[in-house]
Amino acid sequence: MTDCASVPAVRGTLEYGRVLAPLSWLRVGGAAEVFFQPADEEDLRQFLASLPGDMPVMPIGACSNLLIRDGGIAGAVIRLGRAFGAVSVESGGSVKAGAAALAARVAVKAAASGIDLAFFRTIPGTVGGAVKMNAGCYGRYLADVLVGARAVCRDGTAEWLDSKQLDFGYRKSALPDDCIVTEVELAGPRGDPGRIERDMQTFVDHRERTQPVRERTCGSVFRNPAGRSSSIDGDDTHDLKAWKLIEDAGMRGAGLGGAQVSERHANFLVNTGGATAEDLEGLGEKIRTRVFQYSGVWLEWEIKRVGNPRRNAV
């Protein structure tokens, strides 16, 4: 357990034992040993610089692609709030956004100025999280539009990272897990605002039709296996689709405790009510085993699973 005396004074909000389930789209998860929402970047920098070097640090965003285990998270959990949510269109035609800004809001703001970030409209998370996992859909990725990102490192120093330094890959970047993005600059192609808005609405309508957006879920559970095509289906641009492998293995609608594989889209897990993180992760592992038995493919988790199981609660 963390010695409270070792945690520095802050200007933001600092809590001990903050239950994280209400912040999670899946509504599961234990408590953060230390939970910090900085007042501004300087507050964040001083907090990190003053923390004991051996204390783990984990940034979280909208928790839209995160499975927090039932035993909670040891060390300091950091969540950026309203102070990091500004979005502006620069005179040179780029968009600057605080890391806590929702990707959908950034897309709408950009569209009004004729900047095409339409694919961002259906990404259910913050732009900071989008940098970490190179979020994307409809054949476009954060890496395609990122000019650079400002980030605060574990030692409290801040630096500007360009796209090349982040070494993006499919659903991944080289950003260290304890490095916290505070601001991004994006540059999309120019276009007619009306056309961009229509494209965004098309994406939204497709997502409504094909994904369980009204349920307690957390985005695509597994990465699509390697291999690419030019098809656009709202899931990604890979030849092998995780949802198809899951469906072919007979796992659509399968359940474990309060967790269920979505009937609408087989690559989504749903908390039907009363599910634990253990239920959801256990069902995910059951899917992986069944798909391997059926197709010989081991699916890789796309959802980030963090924290301790209940038996090792913080």
Side-chain angles (χ1 to χ4, degrees):
M1 297 293 291
T2 296
D3 177 4
C4 295
S6 67
V7 178
V10 298
R11 290 181 287 109
T13 302
L14 187 64
E15 301 175 68
Y16 297 91
R18 165 70 180 267
V19 176
L20 298 174
L23 301 179
S24 165
W25 282 36
L26 285 165
R27 295 296 189 270
V28 298
E33 191 174 2
V34 178
F35 183 80
F36 176 47
Q37 288 190 284
D40 50 35
E41 187 184 281
E42 184 59 27
D43 194 27
L44 172 62
R45 291 179 64 183
Q46 291 181 0
F47 177 79
L48 289 171
S50 302
L51 278 182
D54 60 352
M55 181 181 290
V57 169
M58 179 179 296
I60 63 172
C63 298
S64 60
N65 196 37
L66 198 66
L67 176 59
I68 303 168
R69 294 186 174 109
D70 301 308
I73 301 175
V77 173
I78 298 175
R79 188 174 196 242
L80 304 184
R82 187 174 300 176
F84 299 86
V87 181
S88 63
V89 177
E90 303 299 294
S91 57
S94 65
V95 178
K96 284 191 175 179
L102 292 174
R105 178 169 167 250
V106 173
V108 171
K109 182 86 171 182
S113 295
I115 301 171
D116 188 354
L117 300 176
F119 77 100
F120 243 38
R121 178 62 181 84
T122 55
I123 292 176
T126 63
V127 293
V131 171
K132 175 62 179 173
M133 68 170 293
N134 191 19
C137 57
Y138 301 103
R140 297 178 70 191
Y141 295 86
L142 183 281
D144 298 327
V145 297
L146 183 75
V147 176
R150 182 172 171 84
V152 177
C153 303
R154 175 61 181 82
D155 62 1
T157 59
E159 59 181 314
W160 180 261
L161 303 169
D162 64 30
S163 188
K164 289 183 179 178
Q165 288 173 285
L166 288 164
D167 191 24
F168 289 112
Y170 173 56
R171 295 291 189 262
K172 64 181 181 180
S173 73
L175 186 75
D177 288 342
D178 58 2
C179 193
I180 301 168
V181 173
T182 58
E183 186 181 53
V184 303
E185 183 176 0
L186 308 170
R190 306 290 302 191
D192 173 65
R195 192 267 303 165
I196 299 170
E197 289 173 4
R198 289 191 294 274
D199 286 347
M200 291 193 298
Q201 190 59 52
T202 297
F203 296 159
V204 170
D205 291 345
H206 182 274
R207 185 167 176 256
E208 290 272 354
R209 289 194 308 271
T210 62
Q211 298 178 12
V213 296
R214 306 296 179 187
E215 300 180 81
R216 291 181 181 177
T217 185
C218 200
S220 297
V221 178
F222 300 106
R223 299 178 180 182
N224 288 321
R228 296 178 64 85
S229 72
S230 59
S231 63
I232 296 178
D233 64 1
D235 198 19
D236 214 277
T237 56
H238 283 56
D239 293 313
L240 287 175
K241 303 295 186 183
W243 71 264
K244 185 68 165 56
L245 292 168
I246 296 166
E247 185 170 286
D248 289 349
M251 292 298 287
R252 181 186 287 269
L256 179 66
Q260 185 180 29
V261 179
S262 171
E263 293 280 5
R264 177 169 288 193
H265 192 305
N267 197 21
F268 282 70
L269 293 181
V270 176
N271 179 356
T272 62
T276 63
E278 186 175 9
D279 291 340
L280 290 155
E281 188 168 11
L283 181 55
E285 289 299 327
K286 186 176 178 181
I287 291 169
R288 295 181 73 232
T289 299
R290 190 69 62 84
V291 167
F292 179 75
Q293 291 170 343
Y294 182 82
S295 66
V297 175
W298 274 115
L299 293 175
E300 295 182 30
W301 285 87
E302 180 171 320
I303 289 178
K304 186 175 181 181
R305 296 157 295 143
V306 300
N308 301 308
R310 189 182 302 278
R311 60 183 174 276
N312 297 326
V314 298

Short mmCIF file of all heavy atoms in Angstrom, two decimals, residues 171-205:
data_model
loop_
_atom_site.label_atom_id
_atom_site.label_comp_id
_atom_site.label_asym_id
_atom_site.label_seq_id
_atom_site.Cartn_x
_atom_site.Cartn_y
_atom_site.Cartn_z
N ARG A 171 -2.79 -0.42 -34.03
CA ARG A 171 -3.31 -0.34 -32.66
C ARG A 171 -2.21 -0.22 -31.60
O ARG A 171 -2.36 -0.72 -30.49
CB ARG A 171 -4.19 -1.56 -32.34
CG ARG A 171 -5.47 -1.65 -33.17
CD ARG A 171 -6.44 -0.54 -32.79
NE ARG A 171 -7.74 -0.72 -33.42
CZ ARG A 171 -8.14 -0.11 -34.53
NH1 ARG A 171 -7.32 0.71 -35.14
NH2 ARG A 171 -9.33 -0.33 -35.03
N LYS A 172 -1.11 0.47 -31.96
CA LYS A 172 -0.06 0.63 -30.97
C LYS A 172 0.82 1.82 -31.32
O LYS A 172 0.83 2.31 -32.47
CB LYS A 172 0.80 -0.63 -30.87
CG LYS A 172 1.58 -0.96 -32.13
CD LYS A 172 2.39 -2.26 -31.95
CE LYS A 172 3.18 -2.57 -33.22
NZ LYS A 172 3.98 -3.82 -33.05
N SER A 173 1.56 2.28 -30.32
CA SER A 173 2.55 3.33 -30.50
C SER A 173 3.70 3.05 -29.55
O SER A 173 3.62 2.17 -28.68
CB SER A 173 1.95 4.71 -30.20
OG SER A 173 1.76 4.87 -28.80
N ALA A 174 4.77 3.84 -29.69
CA ALA A 174 5.94 3.68 -28.82
C ALA A 174 5.83 4.54 -27.57
O ALA A 174 6.79 4.62 -26.80
CB ALA A 174 7.20 4.04 -29.59
N LEU A 175 4.69 5.17 -27.34
CA LEU A 175 4.51 5.99 -26.15
C LEU A 175 4.58 5.11 -24.90
O LEU A 175 3.81 4.15 -24.77
CB LEU A 175 3.16 6.71 -26.19
CG LEU A 175 2.89 7.71 -25.08
CD1 LEU A 175 3.70 8.99 -25.32
CD2 LEU A 175 1.39 8.03 -24.99
N PRO A 176 5.49 5.40 -23.97
CA PRO A 176 5.57 4.58 -22.74
C PRO A 176 4.26 4.60 -21.96
O PRO A 176 3.52 5.59 -21.99
CB PRO A 176 6.70 5.25 -21.94
CG PRO A 176 7.52 5.95 -22.97
CD PRO A 176 6.55 6.42 -24.01
N ASP A 177 3.97 3.52 -21.27
CA ASP A 177 2.70 3.40 -20.55
C ASP A 177 2.52 4.46 -19.47
O ASP A 177 1.38 4.83 -19.15
CB ASP A 177 2.59 2.01 -19.90
CG ASP A 177 2.35 0.91 -20.94
OD1 ASP A 177 1.93 1.23 -22.06
OD2 ASP A 177 2.58 -0.26 -20.60
N ASP A 178 3.62 4.94 -18.88
CA ASP A 178 3.50 5.93 -17.81
C ASP A 178 3.78 7.35 -18.30
O ASP A 178 4.00 8.27 -17.51
CB ASP A 178 4.42 5.59 -16.64
CG ASP A 178 5.89 5.49 -17.04
OD1 ASP A 178 6.20 5.74 -18.23
OD2 ASP A 178 6.71 5.17 -16.17
N CYS A 179 3.76 7.55 -19.61
CA CYS A 179 3.93 8.87 -20.22
C CYS A 179 2.55 9.41 -20.58
O CYS A 179 1.73 8.70 -21.16
CB CYS A 179 4.80 8.75 -21.46
SG CYS A 179 5.42 10.29 -22.11
N ILE A 180 2.27 10.66 -20.22
CA ILE A 180 0.91 11.18 -20.32
C ILE A 180 0.83 12.28 -21.38
O ILE A 180 1.45 13.34 -21.25
CB ILE A 180 0.46 11.74 -18.95
CG1 ILE A 180 0.51 10.61 -17.91
CG2 ILE A 180 -0.95 12.32 -19.04
CD1 ILE A 180 0.38 11.10 -16.49
N VAL A 181 0.09 12.03 -22.43
CA VAL A 181 -0.14 13.03 -23.47
C VAL A 181 -1.02 14.13 -22.89
O VAL A 181 -2.03 13.85 -22.23
CB VAL A 181 -0.82 12.39 -24.70
CG1 VAL A 181 -1.22 13.47 -25.71
CG2 VAL A 181 0.11 11.38 -25.36
N THR A 182 -0.64 15.39 -23.13
CA THR A 182 -1.45 16.51 -22.64
C THR A 182 -2.09 17.31 -23.77
O THR A 182 -3.11 17.97 -23.56
CB THR A 182 -0.60 17.46 -21.78
OG1 THR A 182 0.51 17.95 -22.54
CG2 THR A 182 -0.10 16.74 -20.53
N GLU A 183 -1.50 17.29 -24.97
CA GLU A 183 -2.04 18.05 -26.10
C GLU A 183 -1.59 17.41 -27.40
O GLU A 183 -0.51 16.81 -27.47
CB GLU A 183 -1.54 19.50 -26.05
CG GLU A 183 -2.16 20.41 -27.10
CD GLU A 183 -1.62 21.84 -27.04
OE1 GLU A 183 -0.38 22.01 -27.07
OE2 GLU A 183 -2.43 22.76 -26.94
N VAL A 184 -2.43 17.52 -28.43
CA VAL A 184 -2.06 17.01 -29.75
C VAL A 184 -2.32 18.07 -30.80
O VAL A 184 -3.14 18.98 -30.62
CB VAL A 184 -2.85 15.72 -30.11
CG1 VAL A 184 -2.65 14.65 -29.07
CG2 VAL A 184 -4.33 16.03 -30.30
N GLU A 185 -1.61 17.94 -31.91
CA GLU A 185 -1.88 18.77 -33.09
C GLU A 185 -2.16 17.84 -34.25
O GLU A 185 -1.40 16.90 -34.52
CB GLU A 185 -0.70 19.68 -33.42
CG GLU A 185 -0.99 20.60 -34.59
CD GLU A 185 0.13 21.60 -34.89
OE1 GLU A 185 1.14 21.57 -34.16
OE2 GLU A 185 -0.01 22.37 -35.86
N LEU A 186 -3.28 18.08 -34.94
CA LEU A 186 -3.73 17.22 -36.03
C LEU A 186 -3.88 18.04 -37.30
O LEU A 186 -4.23 19.23 -37.25
CB LEU A 186 -5.08 16.58 -35.68
CG LEU A 186 -5.18 15.86 -34.33
CD1 LEU A 186 -6.63 15.51 -34.02
CD2 LEU A 186 -4.32 14.61 -34.34
N ALA A 187 -3.65 17.42 -38.44
CA ALA A 187 -3.80 18.08 -39.73
C ALA A 187 -4.44 17.12 -40.72
O ALA A 187 -3.79 16.17 -41.17
CB ALA A 187 -2.46 18.57 -40.25
N GLY A 188 -5.71 17.35 -41.03
CA GLY A 188 -6.40 16.52 -42.01
C GLY A 188 -6.53 17.23 -43.33
O GLY A 188 -6.27 18.43 -43.44
N PRO A 189 -6.92 16.52 -44.37
CA PRO A 189 -7.14 17.15 -45.68
C PRO A 189 -8.27 18.16 -45.62
O PRO A 189 -9.20 18.04 -44.81
CB PRO A 189 -7.48 15.97 -46.58
CG PRO A 189 -7.96 14.89 -45.66
CD PRO A 189 -7.21 15.07 -44.38
N ARG A 190 -8.22 19.17 -46.49
CA ARG A 190 -9.28 20.17 -46.56
C ARG A 190 -10.45 19.62 -47.38
O ARG A 190 -10.27 18.80 -48.28
CB ARG A 190 -8.76 21.45 -47.20
CG ARG A 190 -7.52 22.04 -46.56
CD ARG A 190 -7.79 22.61 -45.18
NE ARG A 190 -8.81 23.63 -45.19
CZ ARG A 190 -9.08 24.42 -44.15
NH1 ARG A 190 -8.39 24.29 -43.02
NH2 ARG A 190 -10.03 25.32 -44.20
N GLY A 191 -11.63 20.11 -47.07
CA GLY A 191 -12.81 19.67 -47.79
C GLY A 191 -14.00 20.56 -47.49
O GLY A 191 -13.94 21.45 -46.63
N ASP A 192 -15.07 20.31 -48.19
CA ASP A 192 -16.31 21.07 -47.98
C ASP A 192 -16.93 20.66 -46.64
O ASP A 192 -17.14 19.46 -46.40
CB ASP A 192 -17.30 20.78 -49.11
CG ASP A 192 -18.65 21.40 -48.84
OD1 ASP A 192 -18.75 22.63 -48.82
OD2 ASP A 192 -19.62 20.63 -48.63
N PRO A 193 -17.20 21.61 -45.75
CA PRO A 193 -17.77 21.26 -44.44
C PRO A 193 -19.03 20.41 -44.52
O PRO A 193 -19.21 19.47 -43.74
CB PRO A 193 -18.04 22.62 -43.79
CG PRO A 193 -17.04 23.54 -44.43
CD PRO A 193 -16.92 23.06 -45.85
N GLY A 194 -19.91 20.74 -45.47
CA GLY A 194 -21.14 19.98 -45.62
C GLY A 194 -20.88 18.54 -45.98
O GLY A 194 -21.53 17.62 -45.45
N ARG A 195 -19.93 18.32 -46.87
CA ARG A 195 -19.60 16.95 -47.27
C ARG A 195 -18.99 16.17 -46.12
O ARG A 195 -19.30 15.00 -45.88
CB ARG A 195 -18.66 16.99 -48.47
CG ARG A 195 -18.45 15.65 -49.18
CD ARG A 195 -17.26 14.88 -48.66
NE ARG A 195 -16.04 15.65 -48.77
CZ ARG A 195 -14.93 15.34 -48.15
NH1 ARG A 195 -14.88 14.29 -47.33
NH2 ARG A 195 -13.85 16.09 -48.29
N ILE A 196 -18.10 16.83 -45.36
CA ILE A 196 -17.48 16.17 -44.21
C ILE A 196 -18.53 15.79 -43.17
O ILE A 196 -18.52 14.69 -42.61
CB ILE A 196 -16.40 17.07 -43.58
CG1 ILE A 196 -15.29 17.36 -44.60
CG2 ILE A 196 -15.80 16.40 -42.34
CD1 ILE A 196 -14.31 18.43 -44.14
N GLU A 197 -19.47 16.70 -42.94
CA GLU A 197 -20.55 16.42 -41.97
C GLU A 197 -21.41 15.26 -42.43
O GLU A 197 -21.84 14.42 -41.63
CB GLU A 197 -21.38 17.67 -41.74
CG GLU A 197 -20.63 18.75 -40.96
CD GLU A 197 -21.40 20.05 -40.88
OE1 GLU A 197 -22.55 20.10 -41.38
OE2 GLU A 197 -20.84 21.02 -40.32
N ARG A 198 -21.67 15.17 -43.73
CA ARG A 198 -22.45 14.04 -44.25
C ARG A 198 -21.68 12.74 -44.08
O ARG A 198 -22.27 11.70 -43.72
CB ARG A 198 -22.80 14.28 -45.72
CG ARG A 198 -23.84 15.36 -45.94
CD ARG A 198 -24.36 15.36 -47.37
NE ARG A 198 -23.32 15.72 -48.34
CZ ARG A 198 -23.00 16.97 -48.68
NH1 ARG A 198 -23.64 17.99 -48.12
NH2 ARG A 198 -22.06 17.20 -49.59
N ASP A 199 -20.37 12.77 -44.32
CA ASP A 199 -19.56 11.57 -44.11
C ASP A 199 -19.61 11.13 -42.65
O ASP A 199 -19.75 9.93 -42.35
CB ASP A 199 -18.10 11.84 -44.50
CG ASP A 199 -17.90 11.91 -46.00
OD1 ASP A 199 -18.82 11.51 -46.75
OD2 ASP A 199 -16.82 12.37 -46.42
N MET A 200 -19.52 12.10 -41.74
CA MET A 200 -19.58 11.76 -40.32
C MET A 200 -20.91 11.13 -39.97
O MET A 200 -20.96 10.14 -39.22
CB MET A 200 -19.33 13.00 -39.46
CG MET A 200 -17.91 13.53 -39.52
SD MET A 200 -17.52 14.74 -38.23
CE MET A 200 -18.69 16.05 -38.63
N GLN A 201 -21.99 11.66 -40.51
CA GLN A 201 -23.30 11.10 -40.20
C GLN A 201 -23.44 9.68 -40.76
O GLN A 201 -24.03 8.80 -40.12
CB GLN A 201 -24.40 11.99 -40.77
CG GLN A 201 -25.80 11.61 -40.29
CD GLN A 201 -25.93 11.65 -38.79
OE1 GLN A 201 -25.60 12.66 -38.16
NE2 GLN A 201 -26.41 10.56 -38.19
N THR A 202 -22.85 9.44 -41.93
CA THR A 202 -22.85 8.09 -42.50
C THR A 202 -22.14 7.12 -41.56
O THR A 202 -22.61 6.00 -41.32
CB THR A 202 -22.16 8.09 -43.88
OG1 THR A 202 -22.91 8.91 -44.78
CG2 THR A 202 -22.07 6.68 -44.44
N PHE A 203 -21.00 7.55 -41.03
CA PHE A 203 -20.25 6.69 -40.10
C PHE A 203 -21.05 6.43 -38.83
O PHE A 203 -21.10 5.31 -38.32
CB PHE A 203 -18.92 7.34 -39.74
CG PHE A 203 -17.97 7.50 -40.90
CD1 PHE A 203 -16.93 8.43 -40.84
CD2 PHE A 203 -18.10 6.74 -42.06
CE1 PHE A 203 -16.05 8.58 -41.89
CE2 PHE A 203 -17.23 6.90 -43.13
CZ PHE A 203 -16.20 7.81 -43.04
N VAL A 204 -21.69 7.49 -38.30
CA VAL A 204 -22.49 7.34 -37.09
C VAL A 204 -23.65 6.38 -37.33
O VAL A 204 -23.93 5.49 -36.51
CB VAL A 204 -23.03 8.71 -36.62
CG1 VAL A 204 -24.07 8.55 -35.51
CG2 VAL A 204 -21.87 9.58 -36.11
N ASP A 205 -24.34 6.53 -38.46
CA ASP A 205 -25.48 5.66 -38.77
C ASP A 205 -25.03 4.21 -38.91
O ASP A 205 -25.72 3.29 -38.43
CB ASP A 205 -26.15 6.12 -40.07
CG ASP A 205 -26.86 7.47 -39.93
OD1 ASP A 205 -27.08 7.90 -38.78
OD2 ASP A 205 -27.16 8.08 -40.97
#
